[in-house]
Every structure is written in C-alpha cells, then in structure tokens.
Amino acid sequence: MTARIYQRPKTAMQSGKALTDTWILEFEQSEARKPDPLMGWTGSGDTQAQVQLRFPTKDEAIGYARKYGIAARVHTPPARRLKLQAYADNFR
C-alpha cells in the first residue's frame, strides 16, 4: 500500500491562498479502473483510492504514514515567488 503526500494547489479560479495550507495523504490505486457495462461509469474495487486524509503540517502526515507502515512519497510544492509590478510598467 503506497501513498503520496502533497499540498493542495490553488485552482484556476482561485486568486487567494485559502485551503492551500493543508497537507493531503492520498492512497495510490492498486488496480485499474474499468467501465461499468450498464451505466458506463468508471470504477474499481479499490476502496483505498477513495480515502483522502488531511493534516495541518507535512511532519504530521509523514508521522502518520510511519506510524501505520505506509510507504509514502512526499511531493513538496515549489516556492511561491511574488512578482511585484507597477501599473505604469504596462506603458513602457
């Protein structure tokens, strides 16, 4: 059972940083998804893929994975750089 730990990125419609400070532990799929013959929806018998655990810090997420013997990969987001630009720069 493997998992990945990452910090939630902003959506395309989001300008602020709300809900981006939490860390998520998400289990990877162990079996492939297949379409349902009747409805056409995709699904699988893997119930762990539906589990998503949220933690306030990266260290708590890593500690949880170590405590329960979960092999986890940590994806650290790139540092955010603030690009300061004056309105007058548009007319140079």
Side-chain angles (χ1 to χ4, degrees), residues 45-63:
D46 182 21
T47 57
Q48 288 284 42
Q50 300 171 3
V51 176
Q52 202 178 59
L53 302 173
R54 294 186 181 102
F55 298 94
T57 63
K58 177 172 70 169
D59 295 331
E60 289 184 20
I62 293 170

Side-chain angles (χ1 to χ4, degrees), residues 30-49:
S30 62
E31 66 179 56
R33 293 181 185 257
K34 52 189 174 281
D36 182 33
L38 180 62
M39 297 298 289
W41 297 338
T42 57
S44 71
D46 182 21
T47 57
Q48 288 284 42

Side-chain angles (χ1 to χ4, degrees), residues 8 12 27 32 35 40 43 48 50-51 56 63 72 80 83 85 87 91:
R8 181 187 302 202
F27 293 98
Q48 288 284 42
Q50 300 171 3
V51 176
R80 295 184 182 125
K83 181 181 176 186
Q85 182 177 358
Y87 179 71
F91 303 103

Side-chain angles (χ1 to χ4, degrees), residues 5-39:
I5 298 172
Y6 64 96
Q7 196 171 20
R8 181 187 302 202
K10 291 189 334 180
T11 63
M13 300 299 293
Q14 185 176 2
S15 62
K17 295 186 207 174
L19 302 177
T20 60
D21 56 348
T22 59
W23 288 82
I24 298 174
L25 185 139
E26 188 174 65
F27 293 98
E28 294 178 355
Q29 291 182 352
S30 62
E31 66 179 56
R33 293 181 185 257
K34 52 189 174 281
D36 182 33
L38 180 62
M39 297 298 289

